Amino acid sequence: NVFDADENVVCTLLGKWTSWDFRFEREGVELANVAKKWAGFGKELFTSADNYMLQIKDEVKPDHPIRILIMAAVMCIDMVLKE
């Protein structure tokens, strides 16, 4: 779960820790998704660098605070699960 400053659940992060694809949902509605972007054979084979694509749905208003929480969660996915 992703919590706000008051410890309320604002959305849920779904996906397998062994996978490269994740999604953020609230009440069954997808708010955003994250997928690994293929960086090319050489980079994938010889480095540990990863590129992710974050897509936040248009239904989430540009000024909504949940956007910042989703971005922070994406950085945690990379640091905790993929490094």
Side-chain angles (χ1 to χ4, degrees):
N1 291 324
V2 178
F3 297 89
D4 65 11
D6 297 322
E7 297 186 19
N8 298 310
V9 176
V10 293
C11 63
T12 302
L13 173 62
L14 301 169
K16 296 180 182 178
W17 68 271
T18 56
S19 175
W20 297 103
D21 298 311
F22 299 91
R23 66 187 185 281
F24 295 86
E25 289 187 2
R26 181 174 51 200
E27 298 174 0
V29 176
E30 185 174 296
L31 303 175
N33 61 60
V34 180
K36 184 177 178 191
K37 180 182 174 191
W38 176 252
F41 182 75
K43 188 173 181 183
E44 295 284 337
L45 185 62
F46 297 111
T47 72
S48 63
D50 293 320
N51 293 316
Y52 296 94
M53 297 296 293
L54 169 62
Q55 178 186 17
I56 299 176
K57 302 297 181 178
D58 291 337
E59 292 80 8
V60 180
K61 294 181 183 178
D63 61 344
H64 198 289
I66 199 168
R67 285 181 173 262
I68 295 169
L69 293 172
I70 289 172
M71 179 62 93
V74 171
M75 293 191 312
C76 288
I77 290 170
D78 185 48
M79 291 181 352
V80 173
L81 298 178
K82 304 302 179 186
E83 283 298 318

